[in-house]
Amino acid sequence: MRERYQFGDVEARWQERWEQARLYQAVEDPGREKFYCLEMFPYPSGNLHMGHVRNYSIGDVIARFKSMNGYNVLHPMGWDSFGLPAENAAIKNKIPPARWTLDNIAQMRGQLKSMGISYDWDREVASCLPEYYRWTQWLFLQMYKKGLVYKKKAAVNWCPGCNTVLANEQVVDAACERCGTAVQKKALEQWFFKITDYAQDLLDSLETLTGWPDKVKIMQDNWIGRSEGARIHFALEGAEGPAADLPVYTTRPDTVFGVTYMVLAAEHPLVERIIAGTEYEEPVRAFVRKVQGMTEVERTSTELEKEGIFTGAYAVNPMNGEKAPLWVGNYVLLEYGTGAVMGVPAHDQRDFVFAKKYGLPIRAVIQPEGETLDAETMTEAYTGDGVMTRSGAFSGLGNREGMKRVAAHLEASGSGGATVNYRLRDWLISRQRYWGTPIPIVYCEECGAVPVPEADLPVRLPLDVEFLPTGESPLNRSPEFYETVCPKCGKPARRETDTMDTFACSSWYFLRYTDAKNDRAPYDAAKARYWMNVDLYIGGVEHAILHLMYARFFMKALNDLGLTDTREPFQNLLTQGMVLKDGTKMSKSKGNVVSPEEIIKKYGADTARLFILFAAPPERDLEWSDAGVEGAYRFLNRVWRGIYQLLTENPDMTKMPSGAPEGPLSKEDQQMRRLLHGTVQKVTEDIQVRFNFNTAISAIMELTNGLYLYKESPSKHWGVLREVTDHLVLLLSPFAPHIADELWEATGHEGFVYRQAWPAYDRRILADVDEVEMVVQLNGKVRDRMKVPAAISREDTEKAALALEKIRDAVGGGTIVKIVTVPGKLVNIVLR
């Protein structure tokens, strides 16, 4: 063993040995309990950033810990490699997207390997390769057959900067999340996944996700947006049959007798029909153009000044036969509800403001108990409960009961009825871009839209395409791609030139990892049955709605298709915080980026991993600290130096048996063993139960300090030192695997630490303490030192509480604000 810790040589040597031994290769073994650990796969931008380092280091600690605890661990990695950046790079650098992407993958793969992450690289996938997207297309076809895929003309979010459609979730603050350009509305024929068929299932099964953070489940709950109300079919005056139907959804059917006007979304198809050839045609069209130039965020903002224009048409209320004028408003969206709302200004504040602005009638039909509302003197809408009035046969009912009765009447009369509405909209997957999974549909003049036969998959992207600065997809200018024949009739046909939203690729990749090389199916059912579900999924909370919702939908749909045995993909979810520098997220534009490559080159991968795991609990944001990195590096050197000194003093220590020391033990020996076993207990629980890696590392540091003190004792027991050094290396290994393997071999052991058993702690050693030293501080000053029952440092809370009462009495009162325990050594009680 060298005197100095030369991390470069150590890390390169062990990475090579791990790869040669295929140490992390996972194989199905029904006789062993499995653990599937997965970090969200990255977009191959070309270089890892510190957020990646944190994400993957967290996953690696868990994977290594579980392996050492006897689990059969699957820990794969791949690449979410379709997407717009590759096209932008193609335009800017005149390099094909495929080459740019694959070069980046090679670069980032090398960076990941330099970190020593325990990935099974035999299962590597890349969503841009035909052997992967063939099965994305195959899954699309299965869902198409099931009726979960359809095409319709819709007002979509259009990014003029990227020249493509965006899903609702990809619009952030009225702008494209990718390039920041203001988003516009545009009507196009688009493909959709029918995720709304699963709205209630997605909502109900949130309760089963007990291993997910509450904040993520709340975000999904709010996005699904379930509400109970009624559907009411108003009738367009002067129209007959289906053309007269004007449905609305409301959560307040009890107020239907208070409707004094109605408002349509600017995109509602009825608008053109009712204004054509009338005096209202031009002014309404001008207003519609103005509204369509606004963003969805602007139109739904509570700060928006509500504006509208009368269309000249009326709708008939099915409950009382009254005519309500039809307006077009800037605050109604076609995508939500039915694109039409009933105006009840007395009982909705938004409607109240609109009615006051345009002089529309206000009619109070819900009266508070003991009060009488006068529409002439109302200064705001009354939205509370009360008694129904001016509501025909329903007058006198409490409004909550009235909701049920009105809904029942609507259903009995064929004019609507109780219903449930969801904020969730179907998933728009069409993208007018090149670098994505081709949609496997062809268009034939004779047969219409025809799915590509499964035997003809994959529909391959052409690689010899030219990109123009316009951003238009080169598929539209590639006859070699779009010219084909109809699979049904054999006549000339045209391929769909839209590609799929990249989230379609990432909604099932965790299944592909279970059988990544299968060329006959997306995965083998038996292998998926063994590995699924993912036991721990790790990634940023920013994916709570986008990726996580879509992956859950895919899993449920595939289960209904008989392709999986489970309906949820991720058993437990850990959402890590961001890595900050100078209080803000690292970014090139802010000039505060720290390169992982530079840190690894200067300090080593183990130091980078150790710092990023020690600096903060995983769920919290982490502030980068150069001093913290230096501290992590010094600590690893301290561990190395301490073991080197022991081996220099007694080279025969490497030949000593591992395990509990033999022979009589002094009190000092016993205290060292109590510190050791207390540390094993804490590190085990911090990793296994709490994911508190920072406190686990802190405990390892305290153990190292204890080892340094103990090894200087003239009466030290070499059997105890053997036990402590063995356990120290094993405890350190999930966090710093390279140095751990080097020290494991240097101390006389064979084999990789990854294949060793996690150290066990002996409860008898921890329990064998009658008393410990207690230091009591009051208002920052040491007030007393005393021996107290050891129960206070253990989990016997009843005895501990009694002991603390005696302490308070001894020092004259005070409130306990902190208890710091070092097992078997001392307890520090801070009072004020």
Side-chain angles (χ1 to χ4, degrees), residues 55 68 99 181 420 434 532 621 706 810:
N55 190 1
M68 295 175 73
R99 199 178 97 197
T181 303
V420 173
Y434 160 74
M532 291 297 291
D621 290 344

Side-chain angles (χ1 to χ4, degrees), residues 28-49:
E28 296 75 28
D29 183 353
R32 294 176 63 195
E33 188 174 357
K34 64 87 181 180
F35 190 88
Y36 187 172
C37 181
L38 183 62
E39 301 95 60
M40 295 179 185
F41 67 168
Y43 181 80
S45 57
N47 286 291
L48 295 180
H49 54 67

Side-chain angles (χ1 to χ4, degrees), residues 150-158 165-166 168 184-192 267-269 292 334-335 425-430 432:
Y150 66 95
K151 192 175 189 182
K152 70 173 183 179
K153 192 167 188 177
V156 297
N157 302 307
W158 176 261
V165 170
L166 303 175
N168 291 336
Q184 303 172 353
K185 286 292 183 181
K186 191 172 184 178
L188 292 173
E189 288 283 338
Q190 303 290 297
W191 287 99
F192 291 82
E267 301 81 6
H268 200 292
Q292 289 180 333
L334 183 63
E335 294 84 4
R425 308 262 59 87
D426 280 337
W427 174 10
L428 168 62
I429 65 164
S430 291
Q432 289 68 45

Side-chain angles (χ1 to χ4, degrees), residues 193-225:
F193 279 138
K194 208 169 185 183
I195 192 173
T196 53
D197 277 9
Y198 288 83
Q200 192 61 48
D201 192 350
L202 288 164
L203 188 64
D204 290 343
S205 54
L206 286 173
E207 296 181 4
T208 69
L209 301 178
T210 56
W212 283 40
D214 287 340
K215 64 180 178 181
V216 173
K217 293 191 285 186
I218 290 170
M219 291 168 74
Q220 290 213 357
D221 188 321
N222 291 338
W223 190 260
I224 295 168

Side-chain angles (χ1 to χ4, degrees), residues 619-827:
E619 71 279 1
R620 293 175 56 184
D621 290 344
L622 179 157
E623 179 67 34
W624 181 264
S625 165
D626 293 335
V629 177
E630 290 275 1
Y633 181 62
R634 286 195 303 271
F635 168 67
L636 291 179
N637 275 275
R638 182 170 166 79
V639 172
W640 180 279
R641 189 166 58 252
I643 294 179
Y644 172 80
Q645 290 168 355
L646 287 172
L647 294 177
T648 301
E649 182 179 351
N650 182 8
D652 289 338
M653 192 179 85
T654 60
K655 302 173 185 177
M656 297 176 62
S658 298
E662 298 178 354
L665 300 179
S666 68
K667 188 172 184 179
E668 189 177 25
D669 300 333
Q670 293 172 19
Q671 286 180 338
M672 185 68 242
R673 293 196 74 212
R674 278 193 289 270
L675 175 59
L676 170 63
H677 286 260
T679 302
V680 173
Q681 180 185 25
K682 178 164 181 55
V683 174
T684 301
E685 292 175 354
D686 280 350
I687 296 176
Q688 183 169 282
V689 180
R690 295 181 284 269
F691 299 140
N692 284 351
F693 309 127
N694 57 321
T695 56
I697 294 170
S698 179
I700 295 171
M701 291 176 172
E702 291 179 12
L703 175 63
T704 304
N705 292 339
L707 172 63
Y708 263 81
L709 291 173
Y710 178 71
K711 77 183 181 65
E712 298 304 320
S713 170
S715 60
K716 58 183 175 285
H717 190 299
W718 282 97
V720 173
L721 285 169
R722 176 65 166 178
E723 181 187 26
V724 172
T725 54
D726 285 355
H727 281 51
L728 173 59
V729 171
L730 293 172
L731 292 174
L732 185 61
S733 65
F735 307 99
H738 305 88
I739 193 173
D741 258 328
E742 184 76 7
L743 293 174
W744 188 248
E745 185 175 82
T747 51
H749 295 286
E750 295 181 354
F752 301 105
V753 175
Y754 184 79
R755 289 180 176 159
Q756 307 308 310
W758 184 255
Y761 57 89
D762 191 333
R763 293 182 181 275
R764 295 171 300 175
I765 295 174
L766 298 177
D768 188 21
V769 187
D770 295 327
E771 58 183 25
V772 295
E773 182 182 17
M774 167 105 37
V775 179
V776 183
Q777 299 178 33
L778 179 60
N779 295 327
K781 295 181 179 180
V782 175
R783 290 294 305 271
D784 204 351
R785 294 177 183 272
M786 64 185 79
K787 298 290 185 179
V788 299
I792 198 168
S793 68
R794 300 198 299 271
E795 296 178 358
D796 190 339
T797 54
E798 185 176 345
K799 291 180 182 178
L802 292 172
L804 290 172
E805 289 299 325
K806 292 179 181 178
I807 293 166
R808 272 200 288 265
D809 293 341
V811 298
T815 302
I816 298 166
V817 294
K818 185 163 63 174
I819 305 174
V820 182
T821 303
V822 178
K825 201 170 182 186
L826 62 84
V827 177

Side-chain angles (χ1 to χ4, degrees), residues 413-427:
S413 63
S415 300
T419 190
V420 173
N421 195 53
Y422 299 93
R423 181 175 180 266
L424 180 70
R425 308 262 59 87
D426 280 337
W427 174 10

Side-chain angles (χ1 to χ4, degrees), residues 459 476 613:
V459 176
N476 292 324
L613 294 165

